[in-house]
Amino acid sequence: MRVLRAALRGLGLVLAGILAAVLLLEITVRVLNLAPPAASPGWFWKAPDEQYGWQHLAGATGRWFNPYNEYNVEITINSKGLRDVETDYGKAADEFRILVLGDSYVEGMRVPLEQTFSKVLEQRLNSVDSPIVFRVINAGVSAWGSDQALLWYRNEGVKYEPDLVILGFFPGNDFLNNSEALEVENFGGVRKPFFHLDGEQLTLRYYPFNPADVPKPVTPVTVPSTAVITGESPSAAPLQTWRPWLNRFSALYRYATPMLRDAVPPVARWLVRWGLMEPGQEEIDAALPAGYIPASYGVYRRPPTEQWQDAFTLTNTLLRALDKDVTASGARLAVAILTAQEQVYPELWDSLLLHYPAMQDKDWDLEQPNRVLYGILDGSNIPYIDLLPVFREHVAASRTLLHLRHDGHWTPAAERLAGAAIYGFLVQNRLVPVAGAAETDATPTP
């Protein structure tokens, strides 16, 4: 009996020690604000949308954050559907307007609005002693391609009477977004209107967009959904009723679960089976077929496949059409070539090759999409700045984190760097009415 009491006392001490350690970790995570909020992030897009497939939901507000709590930002979409302050269509007599088009890198929802590169550029321009008031309007929308930017400019952008239009082009997926074949391969279906080439003329399909009228994919989605990959009903997981409670009351739980997915996928999958975690990336990775290569990385494949060559050709025509429309409205078009995380950090590309073994026997060129874009822009005499050399040089000199490690988008430091570099490019190429030499963080495009 005495031995049993001693054993129970020892077990109690062990359990008390574990509980104390867990409580200490819980307090630490809360004090250091390491975990994301318990509530779900806000939603700021409406889909389907007959004009663009999806666009911002006018007047939407809320917080935007990811499971790693790399950012936690208050977001407001204005009454015209822009992630910007309220802006009238008509401009004042002393105002010079710059309209910035693009995708989530332009939208900039990982930083407060005033820290986006569009607003950094606006602040730099207005810091110059000048009678002109500069306004930089952020018209970026997540996952938009150049095709949606062209449609939006024709429908809405021209109403803002811009003097200069900057297209933020993201080589990592903008070529893909413009191609129906590649977009369907990547996402499994038609989600928006698409331009196609009829000879040298652009023709628009699925417009106005109606999901009921688009073709269904002939093959299943390449990447299986987390809703079906576990192979069993969520209600069958014995501890799944604990999950909402843990998520609501434990910051440690919200902090640890995404880390487990990355660091110890087998443990994460075991917790999913027991219901203590929702299915996530670890389940997707486990269900991938042998030889799987993410469609978006095809932009770096050398030589490009026929589908990618077609995407390059289509993008060339789309950018020429945008340039023609912008010029016809009395403005100038310039392009800022944005950076992908794997282009800036070579070690990340090495880890991707390890993660997807089928990529290892292929030939890859991380600068290929940029060179393709140079040829397109040079052929149309569209001025541009490539931010990749600027970012690489900055990282080599300071090791500053410019891309969020998990999310991949730009950090506040990257937004500042891009805003300053674009400012120097615009001034040195006389694209804005700022007199005199400008201090710049980038070499202007010849």
Side-chain angles (χ1 to χ4, degrees), residues 23 31 67 82 95 144 146 175 184 196 232 241 255 289 303 313 340 367 419 437:
L23 287 174
V31 169
L82 301 182
E95 192 176 347
W144 269 17
S146 314
F175 289 114
V184 168
H196 285 260
E232 52 189 45
T241 55
Y255 171 73
T313 302
E367 296 180 12

Side-chain angles (χ1 to χ4, degrees), residues 7 25 127 137 163 200 209 251 327 386 423:
L25 287 171
S127 68
I137 301 170
D163 300 284
E200 296 184 357
F209 180 73
T327 302
D386 186 357
Y423 167 80

Side-chain angles (χ1 to χ4, degrees), residues 155-443:
N155 294 335
E156 281 287 308
V158 69
K159 298 177 184 177
Y160 288 93
E161 303 177 9
D163 300 284
L164 176 67
V165 175
I166 299 175
L167 174 66
F169 193 96
F170 181 60
N173 59 28
D174 277 1
F175 289 114
L176 177 146
N177 295 151
N178 295 335
S179 162
E180 180 180 348
L182 293 173
E183 182 93 341
V184 168
E185 179 186 348
N186 198 41
F187 291 106
V190 174
R191 309 184 305 158
K192 66 174 188 178
F194 280 100
F195 284 99
H196 285 260
L197 280 174
D198 183 5
E200 296 184 357
Q201 299 300 312
L202 289 170
T203 59
L204 190 56
R205 296 182 187 173
Y206 321 123
Y207 188 85
F209 180 73
N210 182 347
D213 297 337
V214 303
K216 300 298 182 286
V218 231
T219 54
V221 183
T222 310
V223 179
S225 164
T226 56
V228 296
I229 50 185
T230 57
E232 52 189 45
S233 167
S235 60
L239 302 180
Q240 61 100 18
T241 55
W242 291 20
R243 193 170 66 228
W245 187 92
L246 287 168
N247 186 71
R248 181 178 178 185
F249 294 107
S250 175
L252 177 60
Y253 172 84
R254 298 193 301 273
Y255 171 73
T257 47
M259 302 302 173
L260 280 173
R261 294 190 197 280
D262 288 344
V264 200
V267 173
R269 297 194 70 209
W270 181 80
L271 291 173
V272 167
R273 295 299 184 275
W274 279 88
L276 290 175
M277 285 176 58
E278 291 183 352
Q281 188 63 43
E282 76 293 331
E283 297 288 343
I284 293 176
D285 288 343
L288 290 176
Y292 173 75
I293 297 176
S296 59
Y297 296 143
V299 74
Y300 304 126
R301 178 83 176 269
R302 189 170 58 185
T305 65
E306 184 178 349
Q307 279 188 333
W308 280 99
Q309 291 283 13
D310 290 344
F312 297 155
T313 302
L314 175 61
T315 299
N316 182 10
T317 309
L318 287 170
L319 295 189
R320 286 176 179 270
L322 179 60
D323 184 44
K324 182 179 178 181
D325 286 7
V326 168
T327 302
S329 66
R332 289 284 306 277
L333 176 66
V335 172
I337 305 175
L338 313 180
T339 62
Q341 187 181 22
E342 63 272 10
Q343 291 179 307
V344 177
Y345 297 98
E347 61 274 17
L348 175 60
W349 182 253
D350 293 338
S351 70
L352 288 170
L353 293 179
L354 290 175
H355 191 74
Y356 301 107
M359 295 175 64
Q360 295 172 16
D361 62 350
K362 306 291 190 297
D363 194 9
W364 305 96
D365 181 353
L366 294 180
E367 296 180 12
Q368 175 173 267
N370 296 57
R371 291 196 303 272
V372 169
L373 196 54
Y374 297 166
I376 291 172
L377 299 173
D378 286 335
S380 299
N381 291 316
I382 299 172
Y384 61 91
I385 176 174
D386 186 357
L387 293 172
L388 181 56
V390 181
F391 274 48
R392 283 178 172 173
E393 181 181 351
H394 193 82
V395 166
S398 67
R399 298 302 298 173
T400 305
L401 184 65
L402 298 179
H403 285 263
L404 295 166
R405 295 188 187 280
H406 299 282
D407 177 88
H409 285 82
W410 284 351
T411 64
E415 300 280 356
R416 290 193 299 272
L417 180 62
I422 294 170
Y423 167 80
F425 158 74
L426 296 180
V427 172
Q428 292 194 22
N429 286 275
R430 296 190 175 94
L431 294 169
V432 288
V434 175
E439 180 184 348
T440 176
D441 299 294
T443 303

Side-chain angles (χ1 to χ4, degrees), residues 35-49:
S40 299
W43 190 251
F44 311 96
W45 304 270
K46 66 169 185 174
D49 177 78

